[in-house]
Amino acid sequence: MAKIRIGEVWSMRSPESWSEQPDDRQERIDVVGGVVVQDQGVVDEGKIFSCQVVFKTTDWLNTIRSYWLNRTKVTITDESGREYENVRVVYKGRQYLSKFPKYTTLNLEFWFC
């Protein structure tokens, strides 16, 4: 089963959803969960990817959450193995998996910088 990689961590399985949105911003400022997220510059490729994907809860807490809080730009690898560099991870929410208590479903966006 294909998985995705965010920085140093791999998902448990392929994303349940994966969508692409056009984004031709010069500057974008968003408030997500009370945190102001700012991204500046023209995005030549003009896209934002959104996905819902399952990760180990420890990977969320120790790694992915850190990327989000520190605005770290990382490399994302999609299911086909294509890599995208200098991508900002934006956390949109999560759900717990009752059958798999060590895993959590994350709703994420990837902003191309």
Side-chain angles (χ1 to χ4, degrees):
M1 181 179 290
K3 300 179 182 185
I4 66 167
R5 181 176 59 92
I6 300 175
E8 302 171 4
V9 296
W10 288 90
S11 64
M12 180 179 126
R13 58 182 180 231
S14 57
E16 295 171 24
S17 65
W18 188 268
S19 63
E20 180 181 330
Q21 304 165 15
D23 181 20
D24 59 356
R25 70 186 181 268
Q26 294 292 322
E27 178 177 41
R28 179 179 176 134
I29 299 173
D30 245 337
V31 178
V32 181
V35 177
V36 176
V37 179
Q38 184 174 2
D39 194 16
Q40 300 174 353
V42 176
V43 178
D44 293 333
E45 294 185 2
K47 52 184 134 178
I48 295 175
F49 286 153
S50 299
C51 74
Q52 185 177 50
V53 64
V54 177
F55 280 92
K56 288 182 184 176
T57 301
T58 54
D59 287 342
W60 153 242
L61 292 172
N62 298 328
T63 307
I64 300 168
R65 185 171 176 267
S66 175
Y67 296 154
W68 156 240
L69 292 174
N70 297 310
R71 311 297 185 263
T72 306
K73 294 179 182 176
V74 298
T75 299
I76 305 297
T77 306
D78 69 13
E79 299 167 281
S80 69
R82 182 174 175 195
E83 289 190 351
Y84 304 92
E85 296 179 356
N86 296 316
V87 177
R88 182 165 290 144
V89 177
V90 179
Y91 166 71
K92 292 292 195 171
R94 66 181 170 147
Q95 298 87 36
Y96 295 99
L97 299 172
S98 58
K99 291 184 178 182
F100 304 101
K102 293 184 180 184
Y103 291 86
T104 188
T105 300
L106 299 176
N107 296 315
L108 302 171
E109 281 186 353
F110 304 117
W111 293 2
F112 290 75
C113 304

